[in-house]
Amino acid sequence: MDALADLDRRIAGCRACPRLVGWREEVARTKRAAFADQTYWGRPVPGFGPPDARLLIVGLAPAAHGGNRTGRMFTGDRSGDVLYQALYDVGLASQPTSVAVDDGLELYGVRVTAPVHCAPPANKPTPGERATCRAWLVQELALLRPTVRAVVVLGAFGWQATLPVLAEAGWSVPRPRPAFAHGARVALDGVGGLDGLALFGCFHVSQRNTFTGRLTPAMLREVLRTAAEAAGLPVRP
């Protein structure tokens, strides 16, 4: 627990990418009108969830007025509304909403993180920014190795960013690398005695997907339920 908390603190203090530092801090200064009375976090957003998580959910990057405002992954925006409602529905969260870091939300056996910890302009980190930030997720996975048994990656960009991280963190990623698809499931062998990992793909919980019906609540619940069962977590039917 102490090691993961220390990692989270170091992530929150990172200033390695000048473009991202400038953008996240500018957003925190100018704010959105609806949140004009709030103090934005305006820093890198660390992962959220218990240090002994068996299931890891990986997005791409915090939202400018979501995680960048609240300081918690998928918190305070429409994407988070969809994700945490689904986690609650399958029995992996204590409540269906995530609005602030002090709202009492707990995750059960699940941790939520991202390969990029700063909100990027237009929601698009550059390849160089993804490469710079990758070491944080490698370290996070290394600390979770004793317990993590399944990973759900949200979206094709997150999938592309996460596969090399998994390889660097000690799992054998097939060659050629598996393609992203909603509902994809890939078994990754551990290296050097490390336990294997079940990798799942899921369409991202972005408004583009949820408003158009490309990703429905039922589709999201099905992936989360299947991944949780693979990780050995109890779920609601």
Side-chain angles (χ1 to χ4, degrees), residues 153 155-156 159-160 163 173-186 199-202:
V153 181
W159 183 269
Q160 294 167 8
L163 287 176
V173 176
R175 294 281 188 176
R177 285 181 177 171
F180 172 80
H182 179 82
R185 179 172 183 170
V186 181
L199 175 66
F200 296 84
C202 179

CSV table of all heavy atoms in Angstrom, one decimal, residues 153 155-156 159-160 163 173-186 199-202:
chain,number,residue,atom,x,y,z
A,153,VAL,N,-9.0,-3.0,-21.2
A,153,VAL,CA,-8.6,-1.8,-21.8
A,153,VAL,C,-9.7,-1.2,-22.6
A,153,VAL,O,-10.4,-1.8,-23.4
A,153,VAL,CB,-7.4,-2.1,-22.8
A,153,VAL,CG1,-6.9,-0.8,-23.4
A,153,VAL,CG2,-6.3,-2.8,-22.0
A,155,GLY,N,-10.9,1.1,-25.4
A,155,GLY,CA,-10.6,1.8,-26.6
A,155,GLY,C,-9.3,1.3,-27.3
A,155,GLY,O,-8.4,0.8,-26.7
A,156,ALA,N,-9.3,1.6,-28.6
A,156,ALA,CA,-8.1,1.1,-29.4
A,156,ALA,C,-6.9,1.8,-29.1
A,156,ALA,O,-5.8,1.2,-29.1
A,156,ALA,CB,-8.5,1.3,-30.9
A,159,TRP,N,-5.5,0.4,-26.0
A,159,TRP,CA,-5.0,-0.9,-26.3
A,159,TRP,C,-3.6,-0.9,-26.8
A,159,TRP,O,-2.7,-1.6,-26.4
A,159,TRP,CB,-6.0,-1.6,-27.2
A,159,TRP,CG,-5.7,-3.0,-27.6
A,159,TRP,CD1,-4.9,-3.4,-28.7
A,159,TRP,CD2,-6.2,-4.2,-27.0
A,159,TRP,NE1,-5.0,-4.8,-28.8
A,159,TRP,CE2,-5.7,-5.3,-27.8
A,159,TRP,CE3,-7.0,-4.4,-25.9
A,159,TRP,CZ2,-6.1,-6.6,-27.5
A,159,TRP,CZ3,-7.4,-5.8,-25.6
A,159,TRP,CH2,-6.9,-6.8,-26.4
A,160,GLN,N,-3.4,0.0,-27.8
A,160,GLN,CA,-2.1,0.2,-28.4
A,160,GLN,C,-1.0,0.6,-27.4
A,160,GLN,O,0.1,0.2,-27.5
A,160,GLN,CB,-2.2,1.2,-29.6
A,160,GLN,CG,-3.0,0.7,-30.8
A,160,GLN,CD,-3.3,1.8,-31.7
A,160,GLN,OE1,-2.8,2.9,-31.6
A,160,GLN,NE2,-4.2,1.5,-32.7
A,163,LEU,N,-0.4,-2.5,-24.6
A,163,LEU,CA,0.3,-3.8,-24.9
A,163,LEU,C,1.8,-3.7,-24.6
A,163,LEU,O,2.4,-4.7,-24.0
A,163,LEU,CB,0.0,-4.2,-26.4
A,163,LEU,CG,-1.4,-4.7,-26.7
A,163,LEU,CD1,-1.5,-4.9,-28.2
A,163,LEU,CD2,-1.7,-5.9,-25.9
A,173,VAL,N,3.4,-11.0,-24.5
A,173,VAL,CA,2.4,-10.5,-25.4
A,173,VAL,C,2.6,-11.2,-26.8
A,173,VAL,O,3.7,-11.2,-27.3
A,173,VAL,CB,2.5,-9.0,-25.6
A,173,VAL,CG1,1.5,-8.5,-26.7
A,173,VAL,CG2,2.2,-8.3,-24.3
A,174,PRO,N,1.6,-11.8,-27.3
A,174,PRO,CA,1.8,-12.6,-28.6
A,174,PRO,C,2.3,-11.7,-29.7
A,174,PRO,O,2.0,-10.5,-29.8
A,174,PRO,CB,0.4,-13.1,-28.9
A,174,PRO,CG,-0.3,-13.1,-27.6
A,174,PRO,CD,0.2,-11.9,-26.8
A,175,ARG,N,3.0,-12.3,-30.7
A,175,ARG,CA,3.4,-11.7,-31.9
A,175,ARG,C,2.8,-12.4,-33.1
A,175,ARG,O,2.8,-13.7,-33.1
A,175,ARG,CB,4.9,-11.8,-32.0
A,175,ARG,CG,5.6,-10.9,-31.0
A,175,ARG,CD,5.6,-9.5,-31.4
A,175,ARG,NE,6.5,-8.7,-30.5
A,175,ARG,CZ,6.7,-7.4,-30.7
A,175,ARG,NH1,6.1,-6.7,-31.7
A,175,ARG,NH2,7.4,-6.7,-29.8
A,176,PRO,N,2.1,-11.7,-34.0
A,176,PRO,CA,1.9,-10.3,-34.0
A,176,PRO,C,1.0,-9.9,-32.8
A,176,PRO,O,0.2,-10.7,-32.3
A,176,PRO,CB,1.2,-10.0,-35.3
A,176,PRO,CG,0.6,-11.3,-35.7
A,176,PRO,CD,1.5,-12.4,-35.2
A,177,ARG,N,1.1,-8.7,-32.5
A,177,ARG,CA,0.3,-8.2,-31.3
A,177,ARG,C,-1.2,-8.4,-31.6
A,177,ARG,O,-1.7,-8.1,-32.8
A,177,ARG,CB,0.6,-6.7,-31.0
A,177,ARG,CG,1.9,-6.6,-30.3
A,177,ARG,CD,2.2,-5.1,-30.0
A,177,ARG,NE,3.5,-5.0,-29.3
A,177,ARG,CZ,4.1,-3.8,-29.1
A,177,ARG,NH1,3.5,-2.7,-29.5
A,177,ARG,NH2,5.2,-3.7,-28.4
A,178,PRO,N,-2.0,-8.8,-30.7
A,178,PRO,CA,-3.4,-9.0,-30.9
A,178,PRO,C,-4.1,-7.7,-31.2
A,178,PRO,O,-3.8,-6.6,-30.7
A,178,PRO,CB,-3.9,-9.6,-29.6
A,178,PRO,CG,-2.9,-9.2,-28.6
A,178,PRO,CD,-1.6,-9.1,-29.3
A,179,ALA,N,-5.1,-7.7,-32.1
A,179,ALA,CA,-5.8,-6.5,-32.6
A,179,ALA,C,-6.9,-6.2,-31.6
A,179,ALA,O,-7.5,-7.1,-30.9
A,179,ALA,CB,-6.4,-6.8,-33.9
A,180,PHE,N,-7.2,-4.9,-31.4
A,180,PHE,CA,-8.3,-4.5,-30.5
A,180,PHE,C,-9.6,-4.8,-31.1
A,180,PHE,O,-9.8,-4.7,-32.3
A,180,PHE,CB,-8.2,-3.0,-30.3
A,180,PHE,CG,-9.4,-2.4,-29.6
A,180,PHE,CD1,-9.5,-2.6,-28.2
A,180,PHE,CD2,-10.4,-1.8,-30.2
A,180,PHE,CE1,-10.6,-2.1,-27.5
A,180,PHE,CE2,-11.5,-1.4,-29.5
A,180,PHE,CZ,-11.6,-1.5,-28.2
A,181,ALA,N,-10.5,-5.2,-30.3
A,181,ALA,CA,-11.9,-5.4,-30.7
A,181,ALA,C,-12.7,-5.4,-29.4
A,181,ALA,O,-12.2,-5.8,-28.3
A,181,ALA,CB,-12.1,-6.7,-31.4
A,182,HIS,N,-13.9,-4.9,-29.5
A,182,HIS,CA,-14.8,-5.0,-28.3
A,182,HIS,C,-15.1,-6.5,-28.0
A,182,HIS,O,-15.5,-7.2,-28.9
A,182,HIS,CB,-16.1,-4.3,-28.5
A,182,HIS,CG,-17.0,-4.3,-27.3
A,182,HIS,ND1,-16.9,-3.5,-26.2
A,182,HIS,CD2,-18.1,-5.2,-27.0
A,182,HIS,CE1,-17.8,-3.8,-25.3
A,182,HIS,NE2,-18.5,-4.8,-25.8
A,183,GLY,N,-14.9,-6.9,-26.8
A,183,GLY,CA,-15.1,-8.2,-26.4
A,183,GLY,C,-13.9,-9.1,-26.6
A,183,GLY,O,-14.0,-10.3,-26.3
A,184,ALA,N,-12.8,-8.6,-27.2
A,184,ALA,CA,-11.6,-9.4,-27.4
A,184,ALA,C,-11.1,-9.9,-26.0
A,184,ALA,O,-11.1,-9.2,-25.0
A,184,ALA,CB,-10.5,-8.6,-28.1
A,185,ARG,N,-10.6,-11.2,-26.1
A,185,ARG,CA,-10.0,-11.7,-24.9
A,185,ARG,C,-8.7,-12.4,-25.3
A,185,ARG,O,-8.7,-13.3,-26.2
A,185,ARG,CB,-10.9,-12.7,-24.2
A,185,ARG,CG,-10.3,-13.4,-23.0
A,185,ARG,CD,-11.4,-14.2,-22.2
A,185,ARG,NE,-10.8,-14.8,-21.0
A,185,ARG,CZ,-11.5,-15.4,-20.0
A,185,ARG,NH1,-12.8,-15.5,-20.2
A,185,ARG,NH2,-10.9,-15.9,-19.0
A,186,VAL,N,-7.6,-12.1,-24.6
A,186,VAL,CA,-6.3,-12.6,-24.9
A,186,VAL,C,-5.7,-13.1,-23.6
A,186,VAL,O,-5.6,-12.4,-22.6
A,186,VAL,CB,-5.4,-11.6,-25.6
A,186,VAL,CG1,-4.0,-12.2,-25.9
A,186,VAL,CG2,-6.0,-10.9,-26.8
A,199,LEU,N,-6.5,-10.5,-20.7
A,199,LEU,CA,-6.6,-9.2,-21.3
A,199,LEU,C,-7.9,-9.1,-22.1
A,199,LEU,O,-8.2,-9.9,-22.9
A,199,LEU,CB,-5.4,-8.9,-22.2
A,199,LEU,CG,-5.4,-7.6,-22.9
A,199,LEU,CD1,-5.3,-6.4,-22.0
A,199,LEU,CD2,-4.2,-7.5,-23.9
A,200,PHE,N,-8.7,-8.0,-21.8
A,200,PHE,CA,-10.0,-7.8,-22.5
A,200,PHE,C,-10.0,-6.4,-23.1
A,200,PHE,O,-9.5,-5.5,-22.6
A,200,PHE,CB,-11.1,-7.9,-21.4
A,200,PHE,CG,-11.3,-9.2,-20.8
A,200,PHE,CD1,-10.5,-9.6,-19.7
A,200,PHE,CD2,-12.2,-10.1,-21.3
A,200,PHE,CE1,-10.7,-10.8,-19.0
A,200,PHE,CE2,-12.3,-11.4,-20.7
A,200,PHE,CZ,-11.6,-11.7,-19.6
A,201,GLY,N,-10.6,-6.4,-24.3
A,201,GLY,CA,-10.9,-5.1,-25.0
A,201,GLY,C,-12.3,-4.7,-24.8
A,201,GLY,O,-13.2,-5.5,-24.8
A,202,CYS,N,-12.5,-3.4,-24.7
A,202,CYS,CA,-13.9,-2.9,-24.6
A,202,CYS,C,-13.9,-1.5,-25.3
A,202,CYS,O,-13.0,-0.7,-25.1
A,202,CYS,CB,-14.2,-2.7,-23.1
A,202,CYS,SG,-15.9,-2.0,-22.8
